[in-house]
Coordinates of all heavy atoms in Angstrom, one line a residue:
Chain B
L18 N 10.1 -5.0 -13.3 CA 10.1 -6.5 -13.2 C 9.6 -6.8 -11.8 O 8.8 -7.7 -11.6 CB 11.4 -7.0 -13.5 CG 11.5 -8.6 -13.5 CD1 10.8 -9.2 -14.7 CD2 13.0 -9.0 -13.6
G29 N -3.1 -7.8 -8.1 CA -3.0 -6.5 -8.8 C -2.6 -5.4 -7.8 O -2.5 -4.2 -8.2
V79 N -21.8 9.1 9.5 CA -20.7 8.4 10.2 C -19.5 9.4 10.3 O -18.7 9.1 11.2 CB -20.4 7.1 9.5 CG1 -21.6 6.2 9.5 CG2 -19.8 7.3 8.1
I87 N -16.0 4.8 3.8 CA -15.6 3.8 2.8 C -15.1 2.5 3.7 O -15.5 1.4 3.3 CB -14.4 4.2 2.0 CG1 -14.7 5.6 1.3 CG2 -13.9 3.2 1.0 CD1 -15.5 5.5 0.1
F92 N -16.3 -2.8 5.6 CA -16.4 -3.7 6.8 C -17.7 -4.4 6.8 O -17.8 -5.6 7.0 CB -16.3 -2.8 8.1 CG -16.1 -3.7 9.3 CD1 -14.9 -4.0 9.8 CD2 -17.2 -4.1 10.0 CE1 -14.7 -4.8 11.0 CE2 -17.1 -4.8 11.2 CZ -15.9 -5.2 11.6
F143 N -29.7 -4.6 8.4 CA -28.8 -5.8 8.5 C -28.5 -6.1 10.0 O -28.8 -7.1 10.5 CB -27.5 -5.5 7.8 CG -26.8 -6.7 7.5 CD1 -27.3 -7.8 6.8 CD2 -25.5 -6.9 8.1 CE1 -26.5 -9.0 6.5 CE2 -24.7 -8.1 7.9 CZ -25.2 -9.1 7.1

Side-chain angles (χ1 to χ4, degrees):
Chain B
L18 186 67
V79 299
I87 307 281
F92 190 90
F143 197 64

